[in-house]
Amino acid sequence: MTVPDPTRQAAETQTGDLGLADHAAALAQGTLSSVAAVGAALDRIEAAQSTLNAFRIVRRERALAEAADADRRLAAGERLPLLGVPVAVKDDTDIAGEPTAFGCGGSFAPKTEDAESVRRLRAAGAVIVGKTNTCELGQLPFTSAAAFGHTRNPWSADHTPGGSSGGSSAAVAAGLAPAALGSDGAGSIRIPASWTNLVGIKPQRGRISTWPHAEAFYGLTVNGPLARTVADAALLLDVAAGPHDGDLHTPAPISASAAIGRDPGRLRIALSLRTPFTATRTALDPEVAAAVRRIGDTLRKLGHTVTVADLHYGLLIGASFLPRSMAGIRAAHQKFPGAQVDPRTIANTRLGRLLDGPVLFAARQAEPLLHKRIGSFFHDYDLVLAPTTATPPPRAEDIDGIGVHATNNLITAACPYTWPWNVLGWPSVNVPAGFTEAGLPVGAQLMGTAATEPLLISVAAQLESELHWERERPTPWWLSR
């Protein structure tokens, strides 16, 4: 019979509700040890794994050893932004000593070096408790794959948390970890953030290094944070941000945390519900539309001018996205020899081969034109408010057993709004926008031009101070099954 550890149980109760900055403060003040905090996080992860299924790899032994080392360093007076704090990382990001599967089936050798973002997390003292689930090569707004099954939404066991960073969002929303890194190539941070009541930041391209890749998915994919609060997301962004010598994109540094509490002034905000052009039929769910309008009303209350003004993307932006996306899937697949993947993934890699070469080159050449044309919209507006998704989260099994055409229809109907900002490389922040009558979270995105993360973060923090979405927590169904 196992005798319960009262210290561990107390830490688990305490730390499950603590955010990233709260953890860091408690550790620095000596009111919490890293071993207790990390151990409690690992216990929560393992208790939820058979039901919520947020993690591909749980680093219990290594994380506890790293936590013990953090406690020694704290006791010696060392202070770092996240020294001893548990953090999760998406399984498309390399951690030395652990394999990277990127949602694929098969056996993969452990990596010998940390990705640059992980190196920076470690340099700030963070303890990485595990690698979170993602769909195959990040292709879907679902976190589902034959290799691990379905990751579930903490707000509803029947529904997806979104994707492809759904494991990260599920882990944070369920309180398994205070914050997590994800990646976003067509909305893969913002979509799961919207469907799990989180803040998700898609930063400027290059803000967080994608090294060992000089760029990811031909510039579409960036890394970014998911957290319950704007301040925690900004803190994780600041810690993880910074270039590697081999990066193709190196924007000038910013301080995301310094934007918290900063008055952005009275802004001109465009409320745009129009979807970008898609080859399949899309429609905005009335409950999502109403939620985004309520965010607009709150922004007006805060003193901003909010005007209904649709952003017209044009056809060229889609012509730039598709070759980069499909060729990116093909290039990613080639880095996983012997991977066991879905037939839909194989179909996408074949399309990627057709679109590589001259078509891909032309797609890249279109970006400056798109910057100029869409950037002209910002002569009249400081930022755009738009839906993050067109629908609430679908059921997790909706993605099962359907072909390529049906899959494309499903994901486009649910998620037509986020991908243009990946083509542009500009920042966007998902903010929670409330819940449907069925209790499912939905979100809205704030979108800016190049390097406007501080502006977006300051506005998101204003919204949080009014709406207090961080107080909403899901009922822990994943512990009762």
Side-chain angles (χ1 to χ4, degrees), residues 55-346:
F55 283 80
R56 186 72 182 264
I57 293 172
V58 181
R59 303 181 69 245
R60 174 171 281 277
E61 291 185 7
R62 291 180 178 179
L64 286 173
E66 292 164 13
D69 180 63
D71 281 333
R72 288 189 287 271
R73 294 162 68 186
L74 286 161
E78 185 174 355
R79 295 294 181 267
L80 293 169
L82 296 180
L83 184 54
V85 178
V87 173
V89 171
K90 183 178 178 179
D91 191 30
D92 62 347
T93 302
D94 293 348
I95 299 176
E98 310 291 352
T100 296
F102 206 171
C104 299
S107 178
F108 305 101
K111 296 296 181 179
T112 57
E113 294 184 4
D114 288 333
E116 177 64 17
S117 58
V118 171
R119 187 194 70 78
R120 289 179 179 272
L121 288 178
R122 290 191 194 276
V127 176
I128 300 168
V129 291
K131 304 189 76 178
T132 56
N133 275 327
T134 176
C135 59
E136 290 178 5
L137 309 179
Q139 300 168 84
L140 303 172
F142 289 73
T143 299
S144 304
F148 61 84
H150 295 288
T151 296
R152 303 285 174 174
N153 193 316
W155 295 92
S156 170
D158 293 331
H159 293 81
T160 180
S164 62
S165 304
S168 288
S169 70
V172 176
L176 310 186
L181 275 187
S183 61
D184 189 315
S188 287
I189 288 171
R190 291 162 288 162
I191 291 165
S194 73
W195 285 345
T196 56
N197 196 54
L198 297 179
V199 176
I201 301 177
K202 175 215 170 296
Q204 175 72 24
R205 182 185 299 148
R207 180 71 63 209
I208 297 177
S209 174
T210 55
W211 193 262
H213 312 298
E215 64 174 3
F217 283 73
Y218 299 100
L220 293 179
T221 295
V222 302
N223 295 331
L226 295 117
R228 285 172 175 158
T229 68
V230 179
D232 279 352
L235 173 58
L236 192 59
L237 175 57
D238 280 338
V239 164
H244 184 279
D245 288 343
D247 289 347
L248 289 181
H249 310 284
T250 54
I254 62 163
S255 173
S257 296
I260 304 296
R262 181 189 298 162
D263 184 359
R266 183 176 178 179
L267 301 178
R268 304 163 301 165
I269 300 174
L271 171 58
S272 177
L273 301 182
R274 180 187 178 94
T275 59
F277 173 80
T278 62
T280 58
R281 186 176 180 181
T282 61
L284 179 59
D285 183 279
E287 287 191 280
V288 177
V292 177
R293 290 190 182 100
R294 286 194 296 271
I295 295 290
D297 291 340
T298 302
L299 289 167
R300 291 187 183 99
K301 178 182 175 182
L302 288 163
H304 303 296
T305 300
V306 180
T307 306
V308 176
D310 280 329
L311 179 56
H312 295 265
Y313 293 94
L315 299 180
L316 181 60
I317 197 164
S320 178
F321 174 77
L322 186 63
R324 294 162 72 174
S325 176
M326 293 298 110
I329 291 169
R330 177 176 180 250
H333 183 247
Q334 290 175 328
K335 294 170 184 170
F336 292 87
Q340 301 161 11
V341 296
D342 189 277
R344 292 169 288 187
T345 297
I346 297 300

Side-chain angles (χ1 to χ4, degrees), residues 384-411:
V384 174
L385 169 68
T388 302
T389 67
T391 70
R395 290 182 175 272
E397 281 79 9
D398 286 354
I399 199 66
D400 292 351
I402 58 176
V404 173
H405 181 69
T407 297
N408 290 339
N409 287 345
L410 172 63
I411 66 178

